[in-house]
Amino acid sequence: MGRKITNQAMLLQLVMLRDAMHRGYYMLDTFRYQPHDDEEAKDQAMEAQLVINFLLHAQPHGAEELEVLPIVGPRYVGKSTLVAHVCKDERVCAHFSKILFFHIQGFTDDGLATFRDECELKHQNCVSELKLEGRFLVVIELIGDLNEDAWSRLYSASRRYAPRGSKIIVTSQFDNIVKFGTTRALTLKYLSHEAYWYFFKTLTFGSMDPEMHPRLTHLAMEIAKMLRRCHIGANTFACLLRDNFDVYFWCKILALLRRSYQKLVSRFGEHLSDLQDQNIPVLFGRMPTSSEDIVLSSV
C-alpha cells in the first residue's frame, strides 16, 4: 500500500485481489462466528493510490492549467476520509509546500473576496518551500451544489492565489462537478458488506487477534450490520468498543442499536442512514435508559 503504483493494469489486479481478500475474510469470519449468516457482495477500487498518482504527476513544462480532480459520492461514503488519508501521505506532504482546505456551502462574490482568508491550513512544508516553488494543494469540499458560473469564478480565484504546479481536489455528492475536472473523476460507492466488515473489524480490534475473542467478534459483526456500511458510524462505534473491551458493554451497545433502529423503522419506515441522507433529524436512544432520547441531525 505504501508503494507508488502508476500502472493501471496492475492497480486493477490489486483491486481484484483486495476484494477477493475482503470476501475471503468475511466468509471465514461468518463461518467461525455466524455460520447461518449469508451476505451478498459488491465490489470497489484502490482510490487512495489513484488520488496520489494524480497529485504527484508532473505537469508538462510551461503548462498554465490548474489541474482539478473531482471526487463524487453520496453522503457519508468516505470522501473526506479518503482525502484526509491522502493528505497525510509522506509523498504528498513532501510534494506540496501547503495543503489548504476550503469548505463551501454557497459561493458568492463575498466568498470570492475572502477565498484566501477562509482556507484552512492543514500542512506547511517550510523546509522545502523554495524547492517546491510554493505549490499548493487546495481541497474544496462542496456542501451544496455549484453552478458553472460560480465554479468559473472559484477556479479563477484559485489560479490567482495558487502558484504554478498547484492542484485542486474538489469533493461533492453532486455529479455535475465531474465536468469541472481536468482529469477523470473518482466516483466513490459504499463499501461492500465484506469490505465494511474488514474495515470495522480492523478499527475495533486493532493489533489484537479477533480469533482470541470469538464472542466479541460475533457481537462486532452484529453491530457492523446495524451500522449499514456508514463510515462515521464505523469510526464512532469502533472507538467506543475499543475503549470498553467488555462483552457486557458490547451487548448493551448492540441492544441500544437494535432498540433505537426498531423505533425509527416503526415510526418512519426507514433506517437511520436513509433518514440522514434526506437531512431529516431523528431520535436516538440513550444507553443508560430507554426512556430518554437524543436528536441526531446531519446538518
Side-chain angles (χ1 to χ4, degrees):
M1 293 296 292
R3 296 180 180 177
K4 180 181 178 182
I5 302 173
T6 57
N7 186 292
Q8 298 301 311
M10 179 63 73
L11 280 175
L12 181 59
Q13 292 291 325
L14 288 174
V15 168
M16 296 170 62
L17 178 62
R18 182 194 64 179
D19 290 346
M21 178 192 72
H22 288 154
R23 288 192 292 270
Y25 270 112
Y26 186 84
M27 291 303 296
L28 187 59
D29 287 338
T30 299
F31 177 76
R32 284 173 177 161
Y33 310 111
Q34 290 190 173
H36 61 276
D37 195 12
D38 183 23
E39 295 286 350
E40 220 175 284
K42 295 181 181 178
D43 58 354
Q44 192 179 14
M46 296 187 75
E47 301 90 356
Q49 188 60 59
L50 291 173
V51 178
I52 292 173
N53 287 349
F54 162 77
L55 295 177
L56 301 185
H57 175 262
Q59 291 178 275
H61 183 69
E64 296 290 339
E65 185 181 45
L66 190 58
E67 293 186 313
V68 180
L69 171 65
I71 300 180
V72 184
R75 296 170 66 87
Y76 312 117
V77 75
K79 300 184 293 293
S80 297
T81 302
L82 171 64
V83 173
H85 174 72
V86 167
C87 290
K88 291 179 182 178
D89 188 279
E90 293 181 358
R91 294 165 292 175
V92 174
C93 292
H95 189 73
F96 295 97
S97 63
K98 292 181 181 179
I99 298 179
L100 302 162
F101 276 70
F102 191 48
H103 306 271
I104 304 176
Q105 183 143 16
F107 194 71
T108 63
D109 289 332
D110 290 339
L112 184 65
T114 59
F115 175 76
R116 180 166 184 167
D117 295 333
E118 292 184 3
C119 281
E120 180 183 359
L121 180 63
K122 291 285 188 177
H123 165 76
Q124 185 164 9
N125 191 345
C126 300
V127 177
S128 304
E129 189 151 2
L130 292 177
K131 176 184 175 183
L132 301 176
E133 300 176 346
R135 56 176 173 253
F136 297 165
L137 167 58
V138 181
V139 179
I140 300 173
E141 293 188 345
L142 297 177
I143 309 302
D145 202 356
L146 194 69
N147 60 42
E148 196 162 348
D149 180 61
W151 169 255
S152 297
R153 290 183 286 129
L154 177 60
Y155 182 77
S156 297
S158 302
R159 286 192 63 180
R160 290 197 301 270
Y161 174 45
R164 179 181 298 178
S166 301
K167 298 197 177 185
I168 294 178
I169 294 176
V170 55
T171 68
S172 174
Q173 60 178 312
F174 297 100
D175 292 336
N176 67 337
I177 71 161
V178 169
K179 61 186 177 184
F180 301 146
T182 60
T183 187
R184 183 177 178 180
L186 177 61
T187 301
L188 300 186
K189 299 179 181 179
Y190 289 112
L191 292 173
S192 67
H193 295 290
E194 296 87 353
Y196 186 81
W197 163 239
Y198 183 83
F199 171 65
F200 184 70
K201 180 177 67 171
T202 302
L203 286 177
T204 303
F205 289 94
S207 59
M208 290 181 288
D209 185 0
E211 293 186 30
M212 302 299 295
H213 307 277
R215 175 60 176 157
L216 290 177
T217 305
H218 168 84
L219 292 170
M221 291 189 80
E222 288 294 316
I223 292 170
K225 286 181 187 177
M226 300 299 296
L227 295 176
R228 291 277 293 272
R229 297 180 288 175
C230 172
H231 276 73
I232 296 177
N235 282 280
T236 301
F237 281 92
C239 181
L240 192 62
L241 298 174
R242 191 170 58 245
D243 291 343
N244 300 272
F245 215 70
D246 175 75
V247 170
Y248 177 70
F249 181 80
W250 287 28
C251 285
K252 291 187 68 175
I253 290 291
L254 179 57
L256 165 70
L257 287 172
R258 284 176 173 166
R259 184 172 64 247
S260 299
Y261 290 161
Q262 285 171 1
K263 185 185 299 184
L264 289 172
V265 172
S266 64
R267 183 170 181 178
F268 299 102
E270 296 185 79
H271 188 273
L272 170 67
S273 59
D274 299 324
L275 294 171
Q276 286 187 311
D277 284 343
Q278 303 170 38
N279 291 329
I280 300 176
V282 296
L283 294 177
F284 201 82
R286 293 182 184 271
M287 190 163 63
T289 172
S290 59
S291 62
E292 295 183 7
D293 294 316
I294 57 176
V295 177
L296 291 182
S297 174
S298 59
V299 179

